[in-house]
């Protein structure tokens, strides 16, 4: 298997976008019609960022354009809090110069105002189930869940997609044809922001509407029984907006709870410094002696929700709001002469494997000796052996406590250029 690459972070212009915002573009050169999907403005609303993660990794856009920001408020997502510096969605009318959210807010404003942005969706999970008349504690007009939210009925300037109420009603009606349960029904919630809602006057969608940009919030309910249900409704709604915009798309999965649940649980891989690969699926809660540099390290995730936070000398690895594993480092000087491929014998067949890759074994493997390189298979021990090249190794030869996964079938193969760290590959026993 080839090394996993970093999800493309598309930069528009250096003056428009910095490292504070990850923007994933799915474009067709013959169109300027662009849907902008923004996830994760509130860190404790996971339906609002796991849905755009799937949109980024499992959808192909065949006409028009789709831009995706899965994790607008990264720090709050990791903390699983609405906003660690206050509510980011209440800072779009005015924000103080010393506000820690200022750079992100100003950057997303610039993106929203780009001429090619045709419609904006801001994704949320809201409390309860919105009903126009009260039907109980969670079914009432004060609830936000299961709504298409608009700030007003129409944009003041006539333009495509300016009929906010008409579009929201169409989306709502089509979602309600695909409900998992009857009480999950969607409604349109018009906040009449300009005249009735001072708080919403500070919001992202109202900022867009004031600048004649069609904008909607999709709110799934926090009271749904699973994250998969929230993501299901987010994706159903997004697809309905894409249909209204004539955005042609395909996806590589069936839109149902079972398949969404599998995708959500697939955390993908992490490559560190282009030379160290970790498969994050079923990984142990803590791994020790991770060879990295003492000062500057680069982390590349195949999952756009991936983030690393350094705390007390350890590296905490997150996918969205989920702490996946903790890495305890061992600092090494990195080799500048590390070759890109290494030869192995896997189940009796010689293969050439790229550095920072993973492979699967039925019975055994061995690393073919390369000049100046030393091999250390973590979990294998033979007295008096400092280089574990040319040794046939099976699962029975390995100490389970050194596996990286909970099934005790995945192990690290570290390669050193003399005393400098070169690369690590993963071996999975079937």
């Amino acid at each position: 298997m080839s090394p996993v690459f970093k999800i493309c972070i598309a930069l528009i212009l250096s003056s428009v976008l910095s490292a504070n915002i990850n923007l994933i573009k799915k474009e067709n050169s013959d169109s300027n019609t662009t849907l902008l999907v923004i996830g994760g403005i509130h860190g404790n609303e996971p339906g609002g960022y796991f849905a755009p993660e799937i949109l980024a990794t499992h959808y192909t856009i065949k006409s028009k354009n789709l831009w995706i920001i899965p994790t607008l408020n990264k720090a709050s997502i990791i903390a699983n809090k609405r906003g660690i510096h206050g509510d980011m969605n209440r800072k779009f009318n005015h924000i103080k110069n010393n506000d820690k959210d200022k750079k992100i807010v100003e950057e997303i404003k610039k993106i929203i105002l780009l001429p090619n942005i045709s419609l904006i969706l801001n994704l949320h999970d809201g409390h309860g189930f919105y009903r126009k008349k009260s039907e109980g504690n969670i079914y009432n007009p004060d609830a936000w869940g299961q709504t298409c939210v608009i700030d007003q009925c129409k944009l003041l300037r006539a333009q495509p997609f300016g009929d906010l109420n008409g579009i929201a009603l169409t989306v709502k009606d089509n979602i309600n044809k695909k409900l998992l349960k009857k009480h999950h029904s969607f409604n349109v919630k018009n906040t009449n922001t300009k005249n009735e809602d001072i708080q919403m006057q500070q919001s992202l969608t109202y900022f867009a509407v004031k600048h004649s940009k069609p904008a909607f919030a999709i709110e799934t309910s926090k009271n749904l029984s699973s994250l998969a249900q929230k993501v299901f409704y987010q994706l159903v709604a997004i697809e309905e907006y894409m249909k209204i915009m004539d955005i042609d798309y395909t996806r590589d999965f069936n839109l149902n709870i079972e398949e969404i649940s599998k995708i959500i649980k697939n955390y993908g891989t992490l490559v560190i410094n282009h030379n160290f690969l970790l498969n994050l699926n079923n990984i142990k809660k803590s791994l020790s002696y991770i060879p990295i540099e003492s000062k500057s390290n680069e982390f590349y995730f195949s999952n756009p929700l991936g983030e690393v936070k350094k705390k007390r000398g350890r590296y905490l690895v997150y996918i969205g709001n989920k702490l996946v594993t903790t890495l305890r480092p061992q600092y090494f000087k990195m080799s500048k002469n590390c070759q890109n491929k290494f030869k192995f014998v896997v189940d009796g067949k010689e293969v050439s494997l790229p550095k920072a890759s993973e492979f699967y074994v039925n019975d055994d493997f061995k690393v073919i000796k390369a000049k100046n390189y030393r091999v250390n298979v973590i979990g294998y021990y033979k007295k008096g052996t400092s280089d574990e090249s040319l040794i046939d190794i099976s699962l029975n030869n390995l100490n389970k406590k050194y596996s990286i996964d909970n099934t005790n079938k995945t192990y690290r193969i570290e390669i050193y250029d003399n005393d400098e760290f070169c690369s690590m590959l993963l071996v999975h026993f079937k």
Side-chain angles (χ1 to χ4, degrees):
M1 298 179 68
S2 61
V4 177
F5 53 90
K6 188 177 183 180
I7 285 289
C8 176
I9 305 303
L11 300 181
I12 303 169
L13 293 170
S14 59
S15 61
V16 172
L17 184 63
S18 78
N20 293 300
I21 292 179
N22 293 344
L23 175 64
I24 299 168
K25 293 182 179 180
K26 292 173 174 280
E27 296 188 304
N28 293 278
S29 59
D30 60 343
S31 176
N32 278 327
T33 300
T34 302
L35 170 63
L36 174 63
V37 175
I38 301 169
I41 195 169
H42 290 150
N44 62 344
E45 299 177 7
Y49 42 88
F50 276 92
E53 179 262 317
I54 295 177
L55 198 65
T57 54
H58 292 272
Y59 281 72
T60 299
I61 303 303
K62 303 175 74 174
S63 70
K64 311 291 178 63
N65 308 312
L66 173 65
W67 289 9
I68 308 161
I69 299 172
T71 53
L72 185 66
N73 195 346
K74 297 177 187 177
S76 296
I77 289 171
I78 288 175
N80 197 30
K81 293 183 178 179
R82 184 178 181 87
I84 60 172
H85 305 305
D87 189 340
M88 185 182 286
N89 202 32
R90 297 293 182 267
K91 299 181 180 183
F92 283 81
N93 186 44
H94 173 75
I95 187 168
K96 295 179 180 178
N97 287 330
N98 63 350
D99 194 307
K100 292 184 179 179
D101 288 333
K102 185 176 176 62
K103 288 183 179 180
I104 296 173
V105 170
E106 294 303 325
E107 285 169 14
I108 190 60
K109 282 182 177 181
K110 291 177 182 178
I111 294 172
I112 288 170
L113 296 180
L114 289 171
N116 61 309
I117 298 299
S118 310
L119 191 148
I120 299 109
L121 296 178
N122 194 15
L123 310 186
H124 295 267
D125 299 331
H127 170 73
F129 297 84
Y130 174 73
R131 299 289 188 266
K132 292 183 179 180
K133 295 182 179 180
S134 181
E135 300 173 15
N137 290 334
I138 64 172
Y139 303 92
N140 57 62
D142 293 327
W144 287 83
Q146 305 300 91
T147 56
C148 300
V149 183
I150 57 175
D151 291 282
Q152 59 196 48
C153 286
K154 292 186 178 182
L155 296 183
L156 297 180
R157 190 175 72 193
Q159 63 184 80
F161 318 120
D163 182 6
L164 304 182
N165 188 61
I167 290 173
L169 285 171
T170 299
V171 170
K172 179 262 296 185
D173 289 343
N174 289 334
I175 296 174
N176 287 341
K177 296 174 184 177
K178 303 173 183 179
L179 298 177
L180 300 171
K181 294 184 179 181
K182 187 177 180 180
H183 72 275
H184 293 172
S185 60
F186 265 69
N187 282 284
V188 174
K189 183 164 186 169
N190 185 347
T191 57
N192 295 306
T193 300
K194 182 178 180 180
N195 299 317
E196 298 181 15
D197 199 322
I198 295 175
Q199 288 295 313
M200 285 294 291
Q201 290 172 14
Q202 316 296 318
S203 69
L204 182 152
T205 55
Y206 190 61
F207 168 81
V209 165
K210 283 196 302 180
H211 291 85
S212 298
K213 292 283 188 175
F216 305 80
I218 302 172
E219 296 261 6
T220 53
S221 178
K222 292 182 177 181
N223 297 85
L224 293 172
S225 62
S226 69
L227 174 58
Q229 288 187 348
K230 298 169 189 175
V231 171
F232 170 82
Y233 286 119
Q234 290 282 0
L235 293 175
V236 169
I238 293 167
E239 289 187 4
E240 292 301 328
Y241 282 103
M242 287 198 289
K243 290 173 186 176
I244 286 171
M245 297 178 71
D246 290 325
I247 296 175
D248 190 18
Y249 65 90
T250 58
R251 46 178 151 75
D252 60 8
F253 66 99
N254 294 317
L255 190 54
N256 58 52
I257 294 299
E258 292 75 18
E259 296 207 28
I260 289 173
S261 296
K262 290 179 182 178
I263 295 172
I264 290 171
K265 294 174 183 176
N266 184 355
Y267 295 151
T269 56
L270 166 63
V271 174
I272 306 174
N273 298 328
H274 305 282
N275 61 13
F276 188 98
L277 171 73
L278 285 175
N279 191 311
L280 300 178
N281 292 311
N282 207 23
I283 195 169
K284 287 183 175 178
K285 292 182 179 180
S286 178
L287 297 177
S288 299
Y289 306 111
I290 303 300
I292 60 175
E293 297 189 73
S294 59
K295 292 183 179 179
S296 178
N297 294 282
E298 297 180 5
F299 300 91
Y300 300 85
F301 290 87
S302 65
N303 189 316
L305 300 184
E307 291 290 334
V308 172
K309 179 180 180 181
K310 189 175 182 181
K311 185 177 182 180
R312 297 175 184 173
R314 299 174 183 177
Y315 294 85
L316 281 59
V317 179
Y318 288 86
I319 297 297
N321 61 346
K322 301 179 184 297
L323 176 60
V324 177
T325 190
T326 298
L327 307 179
R328 293 173 170 83
Q330 184 176 16
Y331 297 114
F332 278 92
K333 184 176 181 181
M334 300 293 155
S335 170
K336 296 181 180 179
N337 303 309
C338 186
Q339 62 192 45
N340 291 322
K341 291 188 176 182
F342 296 90
K343 291 183 178 180
F344 286 68
V345 176
V346 179
D347 293 327
K349 182 180 179 180
E350 184 173 314
V351 294
S352 181
L353 298 173
K355 67 177 183 179
S357 63
E358 54 187 337
F359 63 99
Y360 291 78
V361 175
N362 287 312
D363 299 316
D364 56 31
F365 74 93
K366 66 180 174 183
V367 186
I368 295 177
K369 179 65 179 176
K371 187 177 181 181
N372 296 328
Y373 290 100
R374 175 176 61 86
V375 173
N376 183 16
V377 180
I378 309 300
Y380 178 84
Y381 175 76
K382 184 177 180 180
K383 188 175 181 180
T385 301
S386 59
D387 179 10
E388 291 160 359
S389 303
L390 297 176
I391 299 175
D392 291 314
I393 297 176
S394 66
L395 182 60
N396 292 333
N397 301 134
L398 297 167
N399 188 328
K400 292 181 179 180
K401 75 176 184 178
Y402 293 102
S403 70
I404 73 158
D405 71 325
N406 292 311
T407 65
N408 298 319
K409 290 187 176 181
T410 302
Y411 293 82
R412 294 155 47 184
I413 303 166
E414 295 182 357
I415 300 173
Y416 293 83
D417 176 10
N418 293 315
D419 292 327
E420 296 178 358
F421 182 75
C422 177
S423 183
M424 188 276 281
L425 295 89
L426 284 183
V427 55
H428 303 273
F429 287 90
K430 295 181 180 178

